[in-house]
């Protein structure tokens, strides 16, 4: 078994906004790849985010590191010397069921991408990839899962009309009734509520909620807007409105 490399200590940084765990401690990330050079480059980019990072070069080492680190996110190569990433994913979920997993796959391995998401992975990037893309996707995953937040995320409750969001408790109510939301629905609603009465384009929503370009797949915004409407506006005066050709806007219901 290859020896994992511990790169836990993050250097001082003045770059992008720090994304930390809700308790203020550094995000914990495990990078699993049998290429030590690639793993070190990746871990360096993640340490620059102010995160605690460890690396492992095979499946057995990855599971051992996960038991000790209890990572918030794992960057996981599909092809490993002793097993495949899908088997490792199953073991990781036994160690920490809510861990976010970003798969690394070969450019032409479409079946790997499908298998990874089916197996419970949260996202994937194909090799070769940019470090900026990996970081952006991880930041998006962690925020949507409620496992990390930026300093500016902290603050009082958000209120628009009778719609109230308690970010600390991650609870949403409308008219006093609890509205159950998935992590992505919560983040989308949060973006709408921090910009009341402002028309937000699909591109703006993709950039803020998903943190990277979906390559024209703006239909994901339409899908999640429909989910929100069923939960926030169901049986009530609508608050979420479509502005044809422009985007979406959230505003207090007309009484």
């Amino acid at each position: 078994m290859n020896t994992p490399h511990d790169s836990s200590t993050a250097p001082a940084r003045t770059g992008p906004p720090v994304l930390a765990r809700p308790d203020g401690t550094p995000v914990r990330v495990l990078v699993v790849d049998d290429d030590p050079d690639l793993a070190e480059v990746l871990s360096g980019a993640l340490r620059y985010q102010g995160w605690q990072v460890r690396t492992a070069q095979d499946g057995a080492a990855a599971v051992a590191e996960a038991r000790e680190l209890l990572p918030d996110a794992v960057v996981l190569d599909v092809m490993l010397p002793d097993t495949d990433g899908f088997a490792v994913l199953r073991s990781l979920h036994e160690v920490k069921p809510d861990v976010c997993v970003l798969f690394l796959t070969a450019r032409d391995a479409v079946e790997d991408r499908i298998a990874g998401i089916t197996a419970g992975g949260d996202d994937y990037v194909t090799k070769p990839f940019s470090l900026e893309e990996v970081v952006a996707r991880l930041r998006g995953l962690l925020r949507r899962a409620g496992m990390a937040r930026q300093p500016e995320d902290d603050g009082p409750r958000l209120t628009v009309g009778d719609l109230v969001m308690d970010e600390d408790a991650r609870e949403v109510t409308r008219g006093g009734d609890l509205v159950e939301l998935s992590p992505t629905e919560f983040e989308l609603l949060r973006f709408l509520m921090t910009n009341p009465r402002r028309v937000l384009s699909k591109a703006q929503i993709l950039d803020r909620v998903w943190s990277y370009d979906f390559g024209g797949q703006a239909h994901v915004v339409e899908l999640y807007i429909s989910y929100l409407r069923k939960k926030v506006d169901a049986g009530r005066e609508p608050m979420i409105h479509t502005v044809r050709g422009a985007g979406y806007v959230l505003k207090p219901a007309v009484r």
Side-chain angles (χ1 to χ4, degrees):
M1 182 174 70
N2 292 317
T3 302
H5 171 67
D6 186 347
S7 52
S8 304
T9 304
R13 57 181 298 287
T14 57
V18 174
L19 192 70
R21 305 174 87 199
D23 63 2
T25 58
V27 169
R28 302 171 185 172
V29 183
L30 176 62
V31 175
V32 185
D33 197 292
D34 62 343
D35 182 338
D37 293 332
L38 177 59
E40 185 57 35
V41 169
L42 268 173
S43 64
L46 301 180
R47 288 196 305 272
Y48 183 66
Q49 300 294 311
W51 298 348
Q52 180 181 351
V53 185
R54 294 189 185 183
T55 65
Q57 296 177 16
D58 58 38
V63 175
E65 283 294 315
R67 289 196 180 102
E68 182 177 337
L69 180 64
L70 294 179
D72 302 303
V74 177
V75 181
L76 180 59
D77 193 6
V78 170
M79 302 299 296
L80 295 169
D82 57 344
T83 185
D84 62 54
F86 310 132
V88 175
L89 173 63
R90 290 190 290 271
S91 296
L92 290 174
H93 278 161
E94 292 176 4
V95 174
K96 195 169 187 288
D98 60 349
V99 66
C100 296
V101 176
L102 175 67
F103 273 115
L104 303 179
T105 72
R107 177 180 291 277
D108 58 351
V110 177
E111 66 278 7
D112 284 349
R113 308 177 200 176
I114 296 172
I117 299 301
T118 303
D122 297 285
D123 204 349
Y124 64 85
V125 292
T126 56
K127 297 180 179 180
F129 52 79
S130 71
L131 294 175
E132 291 81 4
E133 180 181 15
V134 173
V135 170
R137 294 198 182 205
L138 281 175
R139 290 175 69 94
L141 288 177
L142 289 162
R143 287 178 66 99
R144 293 198 299 276
M147 299 177 70
R149 54 196 308 182
Q150 292 177 189
E152 61 265 31
D153 291 337
D154 298 321
R157 292 184 177 186
L158 296 174
T159 303
V160 179
D162 62 350
L163 184 65
V164 179
M165 172 178 286
D166 185 328
E167 297 182 76
D168 289 334
R170 293 192 70 80
E171 288 184 352
V172 173
T173 59
R174 180 160 183 200
D177 297 327
L178 186 65
V179 180
E180 298 284 354
L181 299 177
S182 71
T184 301
E185 291 165 354
F186 186 93
E187 187 65 19
L188 173 56
L189 182 60
R190 180 185 180 280
F191 186 41
L192 294 173
M193 292 184 70
T194 53
N195 294 276
R197 301 181 185 276
R198 176 186 173 191
V199 178
L200 301 170
S201 69
K202 292 178 182 178
Q204 288 174 311
I205 294 172
L206 282 173
D207 180 66
R208 174 59 179 80
V209 178
W210 280 268
S211 300
Y212 64 93
D213 185 2
F214 262 70
Q217 298 183 33
H219 65 272
V220 72
V221 176
E222 299 170 6
L223 181 63
Y224 274 89
I225 287 288
S226 71
Y227 292 162
L228 273 187
R229 281 180 166 145
K230 291 176 183 177
K231 296 182 177 182
V232 173
D233 288 344
R236 306 178 178 94
E237 289 296 321
M239 294 184 68
I240 302 171
H241 303 272
T242 300
V243 179
R244 192 176 302 276
Y248 302 95
V249 61
L250 182 140
K251 55 188 177 181
V254 177
R255 296 179 183 275

